Amino acid sequence: DTAVSQTPKYLVTQMGNDKSIKCEQNLGHDTMYWYKQDSKKFLKIMFSYNNKELIINETVPNRFSPKSPDKAHLNLHINSLELGDSAVYFCASSQGGRSDTQYFGPGTRLTVL
Amino acid sequence: QQQVKQSPQSLIVQKGGISIINCAYENTAFDYFPWYQQFPGKGPALLIAIRPDVSEKKEGRFTISFNKSAKQFSLHIMDSQPGDSATYFCAASYNFNKFYFGSGTKLNVKP
């Protein structure tokens, strides 16, 4: 059973489009995250939710909007896609509390043409 | 400003050798220092982690050395194997799981 799953695995789209990436975890964790990994492999946190509540919102354009319908799901919606949004997006989850282990999903490779 | 600085960017080691990756941080509030391993096409996976109250942690062939006064920590992979070839990330966190990652080290272990 996959602990943290993401769909789709690959996403190719045109500039200006709106797209969503879905994430689900079956670990019973309270906290979920979105990370962006750029072409140089640099991994940067974008958002963090704890029990459906936003707790970390880094300096991310407001074209990016996370949505957590329940604590097992954290989706990422991106409006008006730009070339610079091309990256691999990782969802992760952790039990919560201080400095806990994060479990990452397999990633979604987004290519904006 | 990058909170965690990692070096080297890439590393080539012969099979059986020791791989050493270094990280440095500035923020003394960090209280958890994990290392993640990432294979191509996969998400990062926790390899080993340490808290600042110990100077060393060993799990199998993997050892973290931690120097609190120097604000540095390193990963040592003993008897490196081709299957260890991957990208390794150090990270540091505090305050409700906000993690800062290093820039990654691509390790290539030659057979």
Side-chain angles (χ1 to χ4, degrees):
Chain A
D1 265 352
T2 305
V4 182
S5 59
Q6 293 178 231
T7 54
K9 190 164 175 61
Y10 301 97
L11 186 52
V12 181
T13 187
Q14 299 287 331
M15 266 176 49
N17 283 351
D18 303 338
K19 290 293 178 187
S20 291
I21 306 171
K22 295 185 176 181
C23 177
E24 177 181 0
Q25 54 95 2
N26 62 7
L27 298 167
H29 286 167
D30 291 332
T31 308
M32 296 184 72
Y33 313 80
W34 277 109
Y35 284 87
K36 179 180 180 181
Q37 187 172 49
D38 62 24
S39 58
K40 295 183 179 178
K41 298 287 190 184
F42 188 59
L43 202 60
K44 191 168 190 294
I45 191 166
M46 300 173 69
F47 300 102
S48 173
Y49 268 74
N50 180 261
N51 274 324
K52 302 194 300 174
E53 186 180 335
L54 181 66
I55 55 170
I56 294 173
N57 183 350
E58 290 295 287
T59 309
V60 176
N62 57 14
R63 298 182 294 104
F64 290 79
S65 53
K67 285 192 172 46
S68 183
D70 55 61
K71 77 172 194 176
H73 295 85
L74 180 62
N75 303 323
L76 184 65
H77 188 76
I78 315 170
N79 289 328
S80 304
L81 278 155
E82 300 177 358
L83 293 175
D85 297 333
S86 295
V88 180
Y89 291 85
F90 287 100
C91 176
S93 73
S94 70
Q95 182 56 48
R98 219 157 154 241
S99 301
D100 204 356
T101 302
Q102 296 194 348
Y103 295 84
F104 283 80
T108 296
R109 182 174 291 278
L110 171 66
T111 303
V112 182
L113 303 174
Chain B
Q1 183 187 357
Q2 202 168 338
Q3 296 266 0
V4 180
K5 294 183 179 175
Q6 183 172 346
S7 62
Q9 191 173 6
S10 62
L11 183 60
I12 298 174
V13 173
Q14 289 296 123
K15 179 182 173 183
I18 302 173
S19 303
I20 302 174
I21 304 170
N22 301 301
C23 284
Y25 65 97
E26 285 300 322
N27 192 337
T28 55
F30 288 143
D31 59 2
Y32 181 67
F33 302 88
W35 283 90
Y36 282 81
Q37 180 188 54
Q38 185 179 24
F39 292 106
K42 304 288 186 186
L46 180 68
L47 189 62
I48 186 172
I50 198 167
R51 295 191 187 273
D53 52 345
V54 295
S55 60
E56 187 175 280
K57 183 173 182 180
K58 186 175 180 179
E59 289 183 2
R61 296 184 294 110
F62 301 92
T63 300
I64 299 179
S65 296
F66 186 81
N67 186 330
K68 190 173 181 178
S69 59
K71 292 187 282 186
Q72 294 175 348
F73 58 111
S74 59
L75 175 69
H76 296 235
I77 306 174
M78 312 301 285
D79 187 26
S80 298
Q81 299 296 313
D84 297 331
S85 297
T87 299
Y88 292 81
F89 293 93
C90 62
S93 79
Y94 71 104
N95 191 22
F96 220 127
N97 298 325
K98 188 170 182 178
F99 280 73
Y100 295 91
F101 282 79
S103 52
T105 296
K106 188 171 183 179
L107 172 65
N108 186 3
V109 181
K110 298 265 189 203

